[in-house]
Amino acid sequence: MIIKINGKNIDNVKEGETILEVARREDIEIPSLCSHSDVCVRGSCRVCVVEVKGCKDYLPACATEVYDGMEVITHNPEIQKIRKTNLELLFSQHKEECDDCVWNPGCKLLYLARRYFVEINKFDDRKEEYPELSFGGIVDFDSSKCIDCRNCLEVCPVSFLEMEGRGHLFEVTPSKEKACVYCGQCINHCPAGSFEADGEFQGVFKPFEGGEDKEIVFQIAPAARVSISEEFGLDLGTVSTGKLISGLRKVGADKVFDVSFGADFTTHEEAKEFLEQTEDDLPVMTSCCPSWVRFVECFYPDFIDKITNVRSPHIILGAVIKELSQNPDNVTVVSVMPCVSKKYEITRDELKTRHGRPVDHVLTVREVGRLFRDKNIDFLSLDEGEFDNPFGAASGNSISYGASGGVMEAALRHAYYLKTGNELMDENIKNREEFSFEMNGRKIRTKKINGLSEAVHLFEKLQENPNLYDYIEFMSCEGGCIGGGGQPVPTNERIRRSRRRGLIEEAKSKKVQPTHANKEFKKIYNKIKDKKELFYTTYTKKSPIEKIDTN
Amino acid sequence: MDLIQKIRDANLLGRSGSRFPVFEKWVRLSEKDGKKFLICNGAEGEPGVFKDKYILNNEPEKVVDGIEKVIEVLDINKSFFYLRKDYLKLFEKKLKNLFTAEIAIKRKDDRYVAGEETSVINSIEGNRGEPKIKPPYPTEQGLWNHPTLIHNVETFYAISEIANDEYKGKKFYCISGAVKNEDVFKLDKDLTVRDVLIKTENYPKFDFLVQVGGGLGGIFLSSQEIDVTCNRLASVKVFDKKKFDEKEKMKSITRLLMHGNCDKCTPCREGIYRINEMLNSGYYDRDLLEEIILALEKSSYCPLGKVAGEVLNSLMKLYDN
């Protein structure tokens, strides 16, 4: 198929592609706001309208599929004028709060404002008096910034966000009958920065406010070390572990450890637990994703018993750090996470040990980006730092936790080794949604889920037949933690792929691959006396209705 | 001669105001295999338009006959009769007694936009009655993604006439406003506005202007511009020019549109709001009005916003003069 854009012939155009997709591929600029690879075409902002020869009206490039012989004009004076008007109208409902926004720097609205000579304050803010809401103290929604594109409604995995009539308007509002699971996908998919995590960004200095004599210990999640590169304009997929470590030291970290080292604990305990399960206990469901755990506690409490009681890696490592410290009360543990929900996880009272909360603060990747910028850290010229000992030498398998399937893969490989004394050589486990293998004559059937709507379908199946799988990994976000709600904006399909690529590269670079071969891990593991207290937790049924506060 | 051929020969255009050739919709549907749906749209949400009500009151059997003929000819699996709330009360019983095929009656969503065809589909599916992106057109993917034929009440009436060889190229005109005979009239389909007023003995003796095509979607014309056919909904409302205030009219139309639209796209949600706000606060910025009207006309999501742009444009021009 051939189409023409601005007089230029473009062949190799495929049926089903939209004008916007073709233009992006060909590096032809068409401005867009509400279109996103994760949501179905919305066509609501009307900024991407283009001229198609033979059509009276301008058509949205995001929603218009190409046909053979189509002739498209992306810019003419009238289109420019319409885009300007529509942008001015969008700004009229968007309260600018640019200093405290997840899109700063890199805001598309502001970029387009410059590009189309938009008068940002042409109209009074229609939403000036609109409320700022807090969902459970974890996710904030500033409704005065919302531009009504409705992307958040589609990515919200539990339909907590919905449209409600307000006077003559339909608007995004939180449900009064549901709970939020704090996955933060609304944050990555809002083009206007209406959503943010709690503490974003006023809270980025909090970890350092404990006083001079505090020992500040950072730990870095696997999926954070690739995406941090995006905050500083490096190529997608660049691994920046070393620079991230150096940067954290510069801003005041006394020690920097690897959350993946904690993942070796999780792997080991989960494997052990799995091997002890009877048939009635199956399937085992993973517990690393706090949004997923909350989802079960709020909406499917009947499945609580199926979730492994082993704690997530950063919670275990936080507790181990404090346990082995000379002066645990003096240690502040800060986790750098691709996740918003981890901010919620650390507040769970079930996780407290004799030294209090295992982790004191969670900073998202976005927040670390902001912290470095505020502290004038020149990220690109930082040295390649290394993790501190003794919690720095993680196994490669535990790095894979950062992408969907990684948690289960590590646990099952380890279980296989514990049971048979051999390595599980099958590589298929990595890539398949569903996979089974033999272990001492027993068939182990696995499934990985990313996205909670998929989980709902699976639960329906499991309610009919509980004996479908032996092991199921659940991640709330698309692609696992690489697509987490604490990751930089934008996050989309292409960016998630590149983060996954970087993560695999990082995992391969580790000296030791399987957990059982990690001698450093074994040494520390044997030092911990009260394993039950530090490595295990419990879950309870929770209210399926969210606590919403007006800030 | 089969009905499809008759419809083609009659060159019947849809009577919802869109004037889309009925035959073309039928051809698209007849090419499809599998499940097919039919909707008779009795939303009639346009202020000043009451022809569907008139038809359902006087000759509902013809509408039902049209629907049932189509069900047979196009091999329809399931049919729906979509009616606004007050019509439901008036006609539900009567219609049910006339049905011989299985036809489900559905209540219209309250918003004005819910009469637009893709909104009707959303509404019947149990969603909010707001438009869907076209393409795909309903004849490709309509109700629950199955090919769906959707016609207005009057279109089915005309189909029945054609099927029974009674069709004489007439349609229904609604005349209202500052006239003697406010009523529905069945007249030749291609009359000019002037002829309609003359034939119905409603031609004003005073200086006047008209709105053609409905109270919200109708274009305003001065008395010098009425030698045109009613190319949308056949409705003419007459205004006494001396008593007519363009700005007040813009104000009331934008207020109704604000309550009647779906708030999905920027120009319609925000643009109409800003025009209304401007007029309410007593100033008149013609440049701003023109900018927003352009965005409405050329970049709105659905016909509601586009038509709103044209209507406001016609008022702006009247005011200019």
Side-chain angles (χ1 to χ4, degrees), chain B residues 2 41 51 65 67 141 152 160 199 227 240 284 299 312:
Chain B
D2 77 345
N41 188 356
K51 62 176 176 76
D65 177 58
I67 295 172
Q141 288 175 37
N152 167 259
S160 168
K199 278 191 194 285
D227 293 306
D240 183 339
Y284 183 80
S299 76
L312 292 168

Side-chain angles (χ1 to χ4, degrees), chain A residues 42-46 57-58 78 86 90 92-93 122 124 126 147-148 150 163 168-170, chain B residues 111 128 130 133 258-259 262-267 269-270 273-274 291 297-301 306:
Chain A
R42 206 146 299 295
S44 63
C45 75
R46 314 313 274 187
D57 304 318
Y58 296 129
E78 198 171 70
N86 284 341
L90 285 167
S92 79
Q93 60 172 147
K122 184 159 183 163
D124 294 337
R126 172 163 75 75
I147 59 168
D148 291 316
R150 309 184 188 182
M163 294 306 281
H168 63 87
L169 292 156
F170 282 118
Chain B
R111 286 217 165 194
R128 195 191 335 273
E130 61 180 31
I133 281 182
M258 263 158 52
H259 286 86
C262 76
D263 293 334
K264 206 177 212 170
C265 74
T266 309
R269 179 186 65 243
E270 301 301 327
Y273 170 81
R274 291 300 170 180
E291 275 170 28
E297 272 192 79
K298 297 265 187 146
S299 76
S300 287
Y301 188 101
K306 288 174 186 172

Side-chain angles (χ1 to χ4, degrees), chain A residues 148 150 153 161-165 170-173, chain B residues 128 263:
Chain A
D148 291 316
R150 309 184 188 182
L153 265 69
L161 298 169
E162 48 188 37
M163 294 306 281
E164 204 185 71
F170 282 118
E171 284 163 352
V172 177
T173 22
Chain B
R128 195 191 335 273
D263 293 334

Side-chain angles (χ1 to χ4, degrees), chain B residues 17 71 140 190 271:
Chain B
I71 291 175
E140 307 288 327
D190 292 322

Side-chain angles (χ1 to χ4, degrees), chain A residues 130-270:
Chain A
Y130 276 36
E132 205 178 305
L133 305 170
S134 164
F135 309 150
I138 304 298
V139 174
D140 293 345
F141 171 44
D142 185 346
S143 59
S144 69
K145 293 172 84 178
C146 170
I147 59 168
D148 291 316
C149 73
R150 309 184 188 182
N151 282 359
C152 56
L153 265 69
E154 195 172 325
V155 295
C156 179
V158 290
S159 304
F160 170 64
L161 298 169
E162 48 188 37
M163 294 306 281
E164 204 185 71
R166 169 173 162 143
H168 63 87
L169 292 156
F170 282 118
E171 284 163 352
V172 177
T173 22
S175 165
K176 288 169 193 69
E177 287 149 16
K178 278 189 178 156
C180 169
V181 293
Y182 314 136
C183 67
Q185 287 302 307
C186 48
I187 305 174
N188 310 68
H189 290 84
C190 173
S194 310
F195 294 91
E196 58 188 37
D198 175 55
E200 211 166 276
F201 292 97
Q202 301 90 332
V204 295
F205 296 112
K206 267 204 183 137
F208 308 96
E209 286 166 0
E212 289 275 305
D213 53 340
K214 278 268 181 190
E215 187 184 11
I216 299 170
V217 178
F218 271 78
Q219 51 173 342
I220 302 173
R225 56 197 75 180
V226 181
S227 56
I228 187 71
S229 310
E230 295 160 25
E231 286 285 323
F232 299 97
L234 288 165
D235 285 346
L236 289 179
T238 306
V239 181
S240 290
T241 319
K243 288 190 166 30
L244 179 53
I245 294 168
S246 300
L248 290 172
R249 288 208 178 104
K250 273 207 155 169
V251 296
D254 296 304
K255 293 272 165 50
V256 183
F257 295 130
D258 191 347
V259 168
S260 297
F261 192 80
D264 278 324
F265 288 84
T266 305
T267 301
H268 183 64
E269 292 302 316
E270 274 194 25

